[in-house]
Amino acid sequence: MDLPISEYDIAQAESYLAAGDLASATPLLERLVELAEEYIDAECQSTDKRQYFSFADAFERLAYRRVERDPRELVQVEAPFDRLYSALAFAYITQQDYVSAKNALSQAVRWNPMNCAYRLDLAELFRALGNMQEWAALSNSVLERASDARFAARAYANLGAFFLESHNSLAASGCLRLAQRFAPDDARVEALAGRMAAERPEAAESSEEEALAELADQGIDTNPSADMAICLLMCASDAAQAGDRNEATRLTARARGLIGEEACRALVKLIRESDAELAEERSAADGEEASHAQP
């Protein structure tokens, strides 16, 4: 079965949304989803050996492999289904149909599980629907997948608000400190800081060690995922080798925002050494094959 929709179709619907034309955007998106789901049912069924995704780039594919440890063949679909469902969710949110928006955004996460914006937006929908546990769980799931410091900060800010509302000011303080480390100027981080200062000012008197130890006791990772930084730097190395210095710089800056300058330099050194060793091994293997091939 041929794919009945294209990225152009989705982009057209997104342009209606951007213009605020819900009367045009919503029925178009619903029709595109209907066509997409007919195709998915026929051509994209998951098996023990194969799974289908619509990752945005090579980095997300690599990151998924490292985080999820999924051994199946990962097949990239030809249209960005994640964007389609995300756009439909936005249309429903604008109409305050939060249940339909939640269902659509859940599908966006399914098609691109490495997109942290989808996860965080879905978390907010669960919060709006009164499911605070799922709001916190989705925010927590962002931490090991965050490839941008802003997403990590937003996730920690959400968890800080959750702990504050659960009367665990020490854990909330730990979340605030980590959120401020990643993105001190983020609106959610500033909002949490204001709440903490107004509602539980005594929490600031605890040491960072105490606050982070309490977070660890609550099952919250207090360190950004090194896997994400490694993936970013590996893709930056590939981009540099391909001559795309702008992309290499962008990816390296994201890694630096996650783990800091010193750790980033150390990882870059390791990746370069590994690349050099691999190149030497390939060169030696090629030379050996050539010698065997001579009469």
Side-chain angles (χ1 to χ4, degrees):
M1 178 180 180
D2 293 335
L3 183 63
I5 67 172
S6 68
E7 183 173 2
Y8 175 82
D9 297 323
I10 298 170
Q12 183 180 28
E14 289 172 334
S15 69
Y16 288 140
L17 276 181
D21 185 358
L22 287 175
S24 298
T26 304
L28 175 57
L29 287 165
E30 290 174 337
R31 177 55 180 161
L32 292 175
V33 165
E34 181 181 346
L35 292 171
E37 291 183 346
E38 290 176 0
Y39 176 80
I40 291 165
D41 288 342
E43 303 290 341
C44 302
Q45 290 303 303
S46 301
T47 69
D48 293 339
K49 296 183 178 180
R50 180 177 295 176
Q51 179 63 297
Y52 297 82
F53 293 105
S54 57
F55 295 121
D57 51 35
F59 161 73
E60 289 185 342
R61 183 186 181 94
L62 176 62
Y64 174 84
R65 185 73 83 181
R66 288 188 70 97
V67 169
E68 303 293 347
R69 306 290 194 268
D70 191 340
R72 294 174 295 180
E73 176 190 2
L74 307 182
V75 180
Q76 180 77 11
V77 295
E78 296 178 6
F81 290 157
D82 61 315
R83 279 173 48 192
L84 173 59
Y85 283 107
S86 175
L88 181 59
F90 181 80
Y92 287 144
I93 289 170
T94 304
Q95 299 168 67
Q96 298 184 344
D97 184 352
Y98 298 137
V99 173
S100 296
K102 171 183 68 69
N103 294 336
L105 203 49
S106 294
Q107 287 300 308
V109 172
R110 175 262 173 270
W111 283 101
N112 188 351
M114 301 312 298
N115 188 309
C116 290
Y118 296 159
R119 286 180 180 269
L120 288 165
D121 289 345
L122 183 57
E124 292 304 318
L125 285 170
F126 274 105
R127 186 182 190 186
L129 293 168
N131 190 334
M132 308 303 283
Q133 291 295 328
E134 192 63 26
W135 169 56
L138 278 164
S139 298
N140 190 34
S141 76
V142 166
L143 297 178
E144 67 175 336
R145 296 171 176 84
S147 59
D148 188 295
R150 295 170 300 165
F151 292 139
R154 184 175 165 187
Y156 277 123
N158 285 355
L159 290 167
F162 175 79
F163 284 122
L164 186 58
E165 292 166 9
S166 303
H167 308 292
N168 188 336
S169 59
L170 187 57
S173 177
C175 287
L176 175 59
R177 295 171 201 225
L178 291 170
Q180 289 175 323
R181 184 183 303 173
F182 285 113
D185 297 329
D186 181 86
R188 284 180 173 79
V189 178
E190 292 178 339
L192 177 61
R195 284 192 63 188
M196 291 290 295
E199 298 175 28
R200 302 304 296 267
E202 73 282 359
E205 299 174 5
S206 62
S207 68
E208 182 166 319
E209 291 75 12
E210 291 173 325
L212 297 188
E214 175 61 20
L215 271 188
D217 288 344
Q218 296 295 325
I220 305 300
D221 191 355
T222 58
N223 293 299
S225 174
D227 281 338
M228 288 299 98
I230 291 170
C231 291
L232 285 165
L233 293 173
M234 289 174 66
C235 290
S237 177
D238 290 344
Q241 291 177 15
D244 191 346
R245 299 190 64 83
N246 288 336
E247 179 68 359
T249 300
R250 186 182 69 84
L251 292 169
T252 301
R254 285 170 61 185
R256 190 181 299 117
L258 282 176
I259 61 175
E261 181 70 37
E262 184 176 349
C264 195
R265 280 201 303 267
L267 280 177
V268 168
K269 184 173 182 293
L270 286 173
I271 290 171
R272 287 175 177 169
E273 291 173 351
S274 177
D275 287 345
E277 290 175 2
L278 182 60
E280 289 179 6
E281 291 175 2
R282 287 175 176 170
S283 178
D286 290 343
E288 185 176 346
E289 288 180 5
S291 64
H292 287 316
Q294 292 178 357

